[in-house]
Amino acid sequence: MKINQFANQLIPGCQPLTELAHLRLLATDELETCQPKELWQRLLWRVDCNGTTDAQHELRLHDYLATPSMALDEWLANDQPITDEIFARVALQLLDFEPALDFSLADPLTDAQGMNLQLPTYELWNQAAVARGFYQLLLTRTKHGQTWLDYLTGQGLLTWTYQLPAKQKPLLVNGQPIACFDPHQFIYEVVYVEMDHDTDFDGQADLIKVEIMRPADSNHGLKVPTVFTASPYNQGTNDRWGEIITHDVNQPLTHLAPDHQASQETKFTNPQRCQAVTGHAQVATETFSNTPGYTLNNYLAPRGYAIVYAAGIGTKDSDGLQTCGSPEQTESMKVVVEWLHGIRHAYTDRTSGITIKASWCNGNVAMTGRSYLGTLSTAVATTGVPGLKAIISEAAISSWYDYYRENGLVMAPMGFQGEDADVLAAETFSRTKRPADYQRITAINQKYLAQMTKAQDRASGQYNDFWRQRDYLPHVKQIKCDVMMVHGLNDWNVKPSNVKHLYDRLQSLPGDHKLILHQGEHIYINAFPSLDFSEMVNLWLAQKLWEVDNHADQLLPNLIVQDNVKAQTWTAYDHWNAPAHQVALGEEIIQFSDRQPETQYQQWCKDPGQWAKALLGQTNRFSYSIPLTALQSDYYQGTPHLSLTVQSSLDHGMISAYLVDRGAERRLTISPTMIERQGIQLGYHWQTDDLRDFKLQAQPSDYKMISFGHANLQNPHDPEFAIDLAAQQWVTVEFDLQPIFHHLANHHHLELVIFGTDYQMSLRGNENITYQVDLSKSSLTLPF
Amino acid sequence: MKINQFANQLIPGCQPLTELAHLRLLATDELETCQPKELWQRLLWRVDCNGTTDAQHELRLHDYLATPSMALDEWLANDQPITDEIFARVALQLLDFEPALDFSLADPLTDAQGMNLQLPTYELWNQAAVARGFYQLLLTRTKHGQTWLDYLTGQGLLTWTYQLPAKQKPLLVNGQPIACFDPHQFIYEVVYVEMDHDTDFDGQADLIKVEIMRPADSNHGLKVPTVFTASPYNQGTNDRWGEIITHDVNQPLTHLAPDHQASQETKFTNPQRCQAVTGHAQVATETFSNTPGYTLNNYLAPRGYAIVYAAGIGTKDSDGLQTCGSPEQTESMKVVVEWLHGIRHAYTDRTSGITIKASWCNGNVAMTGRSYLGTLSTAVATTGVPGLKAIISEAAISSWYDYYRENGLVMAPMGFQGEDADVLAAETFSRTKRPADYQRITAINQKYLAQMTKAQDRASGQYNDFWRQRDYLPHVKQIKCDVMMVHGLNDWNVKPSNVKHLYDRLQSLPGDHKLILHQGEHIYINAFPSLDFSEMVNLWLAQKLWEVDNHADQLLPNLIVQDNVKAQTWTAYDHWNAPAHQVALGEEIIQFSDRQPETQYQQWCKDPGQWAKALLGQTNRFSYSIPLTALQSDYYQGTPHLSLTVQSSLDHGMISAYLVDRGAERRLTISPTMIERQGIQLGYHWQTDDLRDFKLQAQPSDYKMISFGHANLQNPHDPEFAIDLAAQQWVTVEFDLQPIFHHLANHHHLELVIFGTDYQMSLRGNENITYQVDLSKSSLTLPF
C-alpha cells in the first residue's frame, strides 16, 4: 500500500503548536509543565472521542503496542525515552495499519517509508517534538483514505467547534478549513435565477431553479464561498426516452457530396418580457430535502463551503429546452454564478416577482463536477464571468465535436453507440417529471429536437455550425479563473483529447492550472486511499475562495500522473508533452477487407467486445498490425500523430488505428475496486463515501489498447472541409490519436493496428470495401 | 411495473379520518365546511413540503394533469365533480408514475389495476370520500419503493412530530409507527454485557461490547422496543487472514475407514471470576460514531425502535474466541437480549465494575439480519430466551453442517471453495484490530483454531460432534418467539435447505411464522419497488414489540413467494409442500468418467463457471442427462428426493445431481438491478438505500439450474453413519435435493443431470473414477 499526499507539505515554525492549541488539544503551559511521555499520553487521551472516563482512555492505550511485546500504557509508565521507532510503531497503529499485514512490528520505520508515509523523526523527542510529531500525524492519511484528523472528525472530535461564533470560522489546520460547521444545521433553500434568453419560445426570460445547502453560520455574519455544480441530470433523467430515439449505427458510411450543407439549428430570440419585481425577501420561501450529490461537495460542506446545484434550461422546475452544450445552456449556469456574485436577480419563486439576494455568499464561486458537469464548468469559465474564481473540471468535454464526432466521422463515446446530442438532450429534458408542464411544452420541444437531429448531421459527420456553437476551445483565452483538470487516461467516454486540447491552450494563459491524469475510465477520484485528492481540493479552494494565503498554487504540482505499471503511484511532472519522433511503418502496400460474414457481423454488432478481442487477440483479415519493436523509450507522453496514405475500393471510407501495449502483465484495473463500503466519513454523522482504488489485475493480460484515432477519407486534413473522393483514389490522411502518458513496462513493445470499421464506436454498415495502405508513404509520430 | 403491498390492508371505519387529523392534515370541521374539491386542494397543499407560500403550492398543482389536457389547479377551479378516473390520474402522478411510460393519461384506472395498485373508487366523491381516498393514497407505494407517506416523510412532512411529548409517541398510521423520532437527536451508547462463559481461558467471564442507537425520547419517559442485530462482522474482518488459511480443494476424496473418529474440539470452562460490581451509572460513558448498518434497521430507527449491534465473542473490544456457530457464540448474543430484557448485568466499561441498565427499553426485543446475522437470530431464538419476541432471519443457516458439508461430503457454499468453519472464524476474529490485545491472545487463539481445524474434519465430511454443536434444528422446539424467515430460491451460498428445515419444524409449533421466498441469491430484499417488505416488518414488529393490536399475524400471509416467470409478482400461499410423485428415470445402466484431461482440469479449477457451462450447455462424457418431458405440472413446490443405485470403479466416490429447467426464456435476473442510487429516503435527512429490483434478462437463456444435491457413496442414508465400500460395489444412495418453489414456463421441461465431481462446490481431485448408475433401480421423487 502506498499513500501519496500532495496537500500536506506545510509544517513551518510555530504553526503546529498554535494550531494544536486552536484545536484544544494543547494547553499553553503544557510544553513547560509536562514530560514528553506525559504530553504524548495527554494528546492521545484527548483524541479518544468515544471514551469519556480515564478508565476508558487508559484501556484504549492498552490496545496499542509500543514495542513488539509491550502495550503503550505500560510502556508510557516506564522510563524509556520516546524514539523515532516507538513513535512510528504507535503511529502506524493509530492510522489503522495492521501489524503483519501492512507493516512489521520489528521495523515500522522502514515500512512507513515503503508506504510513502512521512512520519516525524527527531534527534531528541522533547515536549515540542512530541507536539509537532502529533500534529504531523493528524495530517497524515490513515488506511481509510482520509487524514487522521478527518478520520477523528468522523468520530466526533470537532463537535465542540460547531458552537464557536460564526466570525471565528472556518478554523484552519495547515491552510485547510476543517469540518467545524454542523451538517445537521445546514440550511436548504431554492431560488430561481432569471437569464437573458427565452429558450422555450413563451416570450418570457427563462427562470433557472437553484438548490442551495449552506451552513447556519452563514446566517450569522459569516460570508461563505460557494461550490457550484451544474448538472443537467440533477432533476431526473429520461432513460427510456433516450433509448427510444437512440440512432441505428448499423448502416454504411456514404459518399459526401462536395456541396453538402447541414441544416441550421433553431435560433432562440430575446424574450419579450422579464419578471416584474414586486418586492424583496430576506429569506427564501422554498426548500428541498435531497438532491443527487457529489461526495466531494459533501466533503467540502462541513468545511464551510455553501454547496449549490442547478440543472439549467430544460429541466424540472426550470424553463427552457435542452440544447446539449449550446451557449444558452452555458448562460443558464453562468447566471447562477452572477447571482452568487451579486450581479443578477433571483426570485423566491416562479411567479410572485419577489427577489432575493445571496447575501450569505462572499461572492467567490468555484464550479465542480465530472463529465457533463465538468463540461459546463469549463463552458462557464470560458465566459469569463465575474465571481468564478476556480473550476475543478473532471472528465470534461472541451468540444462536443470531440465527444460525438471525429475527423469527419460519426463516432460514439465507447459504450454509447447511437447516442448523439439529440439523444442526450432528450434524456436530460426533465420537464417530463412535471406532467402538466411537459404537456404544455411537448410540441415545442419535439419541434426543437427534430431540428437538432438535422443540424447535428449524422449523415455527414462534418464539423459545422452546430458543433462550432458547442466548441469551447476557441473561447479558452477568455478564461479568467484558475483551473484544476482531472481526466482518466482510459476514459473512452469523454476521451483524453478533450482535456489535452484545454490543457495545451491554458499553458499560454496566466493563472493557476493543475492537471491530474489517472489510470481510470470515466470516474471520480476522490475516494482513493492512495491519493489525497479531497485535501488537495480543500487546500486549493481555500486559496481561491476563502482567500487563505496558503501557497496552494505553488505547493500543488501542476501535473500529477498516476503510473500505469506500479500500483498506487502518483508522480508530479512539469509538462505533459515530450518531443515528437517520426516512426517509419514499412515499405509495403498492405490491404485488408472490411466485409465480414453476415453471422459474424451480427454477432459483433450485438457484442462489440468480441470484435475488439478478434482485432487485438488473434490474427485476422480485417486489420494489419505493425509491431514497433525498435522503440526504446520507457515513457511516451503527448499526442501521437498518424499520416496514412490510403485508398478505399469505394468512393468513401474510414481508416482507424489502435495503439497497443503488448506484453504479458498484471496491469492496473481501469475501474477502481471496492475496498470498504461507506468507509469514508465525510463529517460527523454526515454523508459517507465508498473507499475504493485501482488494483493490479488478478491475472496477467497480453495486451492493452492505449490510444486510438479514426478518420473519414474525405477529411484528410480537416473535419470541416471534405474533399471529393473516387474509388481507388490514393489519399494521405493526417490525424491525431488520443493523447497518452504511458509507462511501457520492461520487455513490452508498442504496436500499431490499422483497420476500417470500429464496431465499438463508428457506423458499421458491413460494406464490401477493401482498404489499401502504402506504408512507405505513411508514418507515425510518437512523443517521447 | 407491478406493486405488491401486503401490509396495506386496514382501512376500517373512522380510522382514516382520525389519523389524518393526528397527522395534522385534516381539521375537525373541514368535512362539514369544505366542498370536496376544496378539501382535496387543501390536502394537496398541506403535503407540499417544499413550498411555504400559496403561490408555490398553487404552482405545484399547476404541474399535475387532472384531465389529459387540463392542469389540476385549473380543473379544481371549474365545476366538474371528482371522479374515480380524475382521482386515479392525479394519484398516479403524485406517486411519481410517468404518463406514457408508466401509464396512459387516457385510462389511468385500467393501468393502475395492471400495476396492482389499489386506488380508491367511490360512487360519490363527497368530502369523506376525498379524505379517505387521500388517506389510502398516503399508504400506497410510489414508483420509488416507499409508501407516499414515507416518501413525503423524506421531504420533511413529519418534522413537526419530533417536538411531540415522548409519551404521545409513536404516532401510528394504519397500525404502523411513522417516522416521528428525530434521527439527528439519536443517542449513541456502548455498554459491555457479561456472559456466563470464559471462552478465552483468562479465568474471567467474557464481556461483550454492545452498540446502541436510540431516540432521545427514550430518555424522556418513553420506553422503546429494541431491534438487535448480532453480527460477527460488525467490528471488522480479516479478509487476508481468511484467504491465507483457505483450504485447498484440489484433492481427491478418500475411502473412509469404518473406525474413523474425528478429533474433539476444545471445551470451554466456567470462569473463575466475574467482574466485581463497584457502583451503578445512570448514563453510559462510552459512545460510538458509526457502525456498519442494515438499511432495514435504519428504516426502523426513526420509527422509534432502538437499534442495537453486537459482534459477540472473539471480536474487537469484546472477550473470547471466534467459535463459528457454537453454543458459546449463541450465548454471547443471548446475553444481550437478557440485558435488554432487564435480567442480566452490563457495565459502562471493561474494567471499572460500574453497572448500567437498559432502563429505556420496554423489554421487548426482535433480532434481524441476513446470513451469519440471521443465523445467530435463529440460534438465539432456539434458546427460548425471555424478552425475545420475534426474529426476522434472512438467508439464515439452520445447521452449519448444511452450510459446509452435505451427505458425508465436504461441500462449499458456491463461490467460496475452500472455506470452512475455521476460515470463517479467522476472518471474523476482529480482536486483530486492537494490536496489543491481539498480541496477548494470539497463542491461545492459534491453538484453538488448530483444534477446530481438526474437529471440523475435512478428511471425512461426516456429521460429528463438532457439527452437532452447530446444528440448531434439534432445538427448534424451544423457540418461543415469532419468526419471519426470508430466503432466496437461488441462494447457493446459504442454501434453501437451511430455511426449509426450519420452516418444516416450525409448522408444528404454536406462534406466528412467516416465510418469504424470493428469486434472488444471498441478498436483502428491503429495497424493491415491487414488494413492501419494510412496511410488512414495521407492521409485524409493531404487533410483537410495541404490542399494537394491528392483527399483523392475520393480515400478513404465512408464505409469500416471488414468481420466477413473471417479473414483480409476489403471491401469497398457504403451504410450501406439495404431494410427492415418484418419477422413473429409465431402464439402462449408464456410465460416465470423472477424469478430465489435465489442462481441462486446471482450467475448470481456475474458472468453475466454465465447467458448469460444459455440464449443462453441451453434450459431454462426464455426466448423464435425463429429460423429464412427461411431467405436466406448472408448479413444483417442496423437496425433491433422489434414490440412485450407483457404483464407483474405486472404493470411494461421490454422486451429484442438478435439476434443470430447460427452455429458451428471458428469465429473471438472480441479482437485483440498480434502479436509483440512494433512491430511498429512510427518514428526513437521514440514511438512504439504493432502489433496486429483479428484472427479466435482456437476452433469453436456454436453461437454468434450479436445485442440486450431492452424496458420498459411503453415506447412502445418513451423513453420520458411513458404510464400508469396495470398488465396483453397487449401493443405493438416498438424498434430498435443494427444496424448490418453481414455476415451469410453457414449453419448458425439467431435466435431471447426474455426475460426479462438482467443480463449484466439492473436492476435485480429478481421479480416474468411472461411475455407473442403474436407472432401473433409481428414481426421482418430485413434489407437485
Side-chain angles (χ1 to χ4, degrees), chain B residues 290-355:
Chain B
N290 299 92
T291 207
Y294 171 16
T295 52
L296 180 68
N297 291 352
N298 287 335
Y299 164 84
L300 294 170
R303 286 156 184 85
Y305 302 89
I307 305 298
V308 165
Y309 292 93
I313 44 175
T315 63
K316 189 179 75 170
D317 299 332
S318 292
D319 293 321
L321 302 179
Q322 273 291 357
T323 64
C324 195
S326 84
E328 293 78 15
Q329 188 182 34
T330 304
E331 187 202 334
S332 76
M333 300 305 188
K334 184 193 74 164
V335 295
V336 177
V337 177
E338 290 175 338
W339 175 68
L340 291 164
H341 194 58
I343 56 174
R344 181 168 285 269
H345 270 324
Y347 299 92
T348 57
D349 61 58
R350 297 174 47 87
T351 53
S352 65
I354 298 170
T355 60

Side-chain angles (χ1 to χ4, degrees), chain A residues 527-562:
Chain A
F528 299 162
S530 67
L531 183 72
D532 65 338
F533 181 66
S534 296
E535 293 99 295
M536 282 196 264
V537 168
N538 197 18
L539 183 79
W540 198 67
L541 292 185
Q543 185 185 48
K544 314 304 172 191
L545 301 186
W546 287 108
E547 299 173 12
V548 174
D549 182 24
N550 64 12
H551 312 289
D553 50 345
Q554 297 153 46
L555 275 167
L556 298 179
N558 289 331
L559 174 60
I560 296 174
V561 183
Q562 184 188 10

Side-chain angles (χ1 to χ4, degrees), chain B residues 536-777:
Chain B
M536 282 195 265
V537 167
N538 197 20
L539 183 79
W540 198 67
L541 291 185
Q543 186 185 49
K544 314 303 172 192
L545 301 186
W546 287 110
E547 300 174 11
V548 174
D549 182 24
N550 64 13
H551 311 289
D553 50 345
Q554 297 153 47
L555 274 168
L556 298 178
N558 289 331
L559 175 59
I560 297 173
V561 183
Q562 185 189 11
D563 193 273
N564 58 290
V565 173
K566 287 172 282 177
Q568 299 168 328
T569 305
W570 301 78
T571 312
Y573 290 90
D574 289 327
H575 306 289
W576 190 339
N577 295 309
H581 293 79
Q582 192 166 318
V583 183
L585 297 177
E587 291 300 324
E588 315 151 70
I589 293 179
I590 58 152
Q591 74 168 47
F592 49 85
S593 164
D594 210 41
R595 178 62 164 265
Q596 302 296 338
E598 185 62 18
T599 48
Q600 181 68 89
Y601 166 69
Q602 294 294 350
Q603 205 174 48
W604 285 350
C605 287
K606 214 186 259 179
D607 184 1
Q610 292 300 325
W611 165 83
K613 272 191 192 164
L615 177 76
L616 302 178
Q618 60 211 51
T619 329
N620 64 62
R621 291 166 179 220
F622 60 91
S623 73
Y624 188 85
S625 295
I626 306 167
L628 306 173
T629 44
L631 292 170
Q632 295 294 334
S633 179
D634 290 344
Y635 286 88
Y636 295 84
Q637 44 191 97
T639 305
H641 181 84
L642 204 49
S643 171
L644 292 178
T645 299
V646 194
Q647 62 150 275
S648 162
S649 57
L650 300 183
D651 65 356
H652 58 273
M654 70 176 96
I655 191 78
S656 306
Y658 277 11
L659 193 62
V660 179
D661 170 337
R662 285 264 168 208
E665 197 80 39
R666 285 178 57 208
R667 293 178 164 84
L668 276 187
T669 55
I670 56 172
S671 294
T673 307
M674 181 69 72
I675 299 170
E676 201 181 346
R677 208 168 284 280
Q678 303 196 323
I680 304 180
Q681 304 296 327
L682 302 172
Y684 179 62
H685 287 164
W686 175 229
Q687 309 278 332
T688 61
D689 203 352
D690 298 332
L691 189 70
R692 48 196 192 277
D693 210 334
F694 301 100
K695 288 193 173 169
L696 292 176
Q697 299 165 337
Q699 301 294 331
S701 57
D702 289 333
Y703 59 86
K704 182 170 181 307
M705 187 271 283
I706 63 167
S707 175
F708 58 72
H710 314 80
N712 189 331
L713 299 193
Q714 290 194 261
N715 293 85
H717 302 290
D718 193 321
E720 196 169 359
F721 298 104
I723 61 164
D724 205 358
L725 187 77
Q728 296 178 321
Q729 174 187 333
W730 285 105
V731 57
T732 299
V733 186
E734 300 273 346
F735 59 102
D736 284 347
L737 304 187
Q738 288 299 319
I740 55 179
F741 201 116
H742 192 71
H743 183 178
L744 192 68
N746 273 345
H747 314 300
H748 287 212
H749 68 267
L750 293 180
E751 181 185 67
L752 183 72
V753 183
I754 304 172
F755 59 98
T757 297
D758 186 328
Y759 280 73
Q760 300 188 109
M761 293 177 257
S762 73
L763 296 183
R764 41 195 196 197
N766 203 24
E767 285 186 280
N768 194 3
I769 303 189
T770 299
Y771 291 103
Q772 295 190 61
V773 183
D774 185 343
L775 293 181
S776 72
K777 294 180 183 157

Side-chain angles (χ1 to χ4, degrees), chain B residues 409-423:
Chain B
L409 293 169
V410 171
M411 193 62 54
M414 204 190 280
F416 297 90
Q417 270 287 32
E419 190 180 298
D420 212 326
D422 56 349
V423 177

Side-chain angles (χ1 to χ4, degrees), chain A residues 17 26-36 38-39 127-128:
Chain A
L17 306 180
L26 188 68
T28 41
D29 63 342
E30 281 181 316
L31 288 186
E32 284 81 49
T33 58
C34 286
Q35 290 307 305
E38 188 188 353
L39 180 62
Q127 292 87 334

Side-chain angles (χ1 to χ4, degrees), chain A residues 50 52 56 59 62-63 68 93 98 154 188 285-287 289-290 348 350 433 435-436 439-440 681 685, chain B residues 50 52 56 59 62-63 68 93 98 154 188 285-287 289-290 348 350 433-436 439-440 681 685:
Chain A
N50 291 334
T52 55
Q56 282 155 347
L59 193 65
H62 193 55
D63 283 336
Q93 295 170 69
E98 290 187 52
Y188 296 81
T285 50
E286 186 175 331
T287 183
S289 50
N290 299 91
T348 57
R350 297 174 47 86
K433 311 292 176 187
Q439 180 89 356
R440 293 184 288 265
Q681 304 296 326
H685 287 163
Chain B
N50 292 334
T52 54
Q56 283 155 348
L59 192 65
H62 193 55
D63 283 336
Q93 296 169 69
E98 289 188 54
Y188 296 82
T285 50
E286 186 175 331
T287 184
S289 50
N290 299 92
T348 57
R350 297 174 47 87
K433 311 292 176 188
R434 300 294 190 198
Q439 180 89 355
R440 294 184 288 265
Q681 304 296 327
H685 287 164

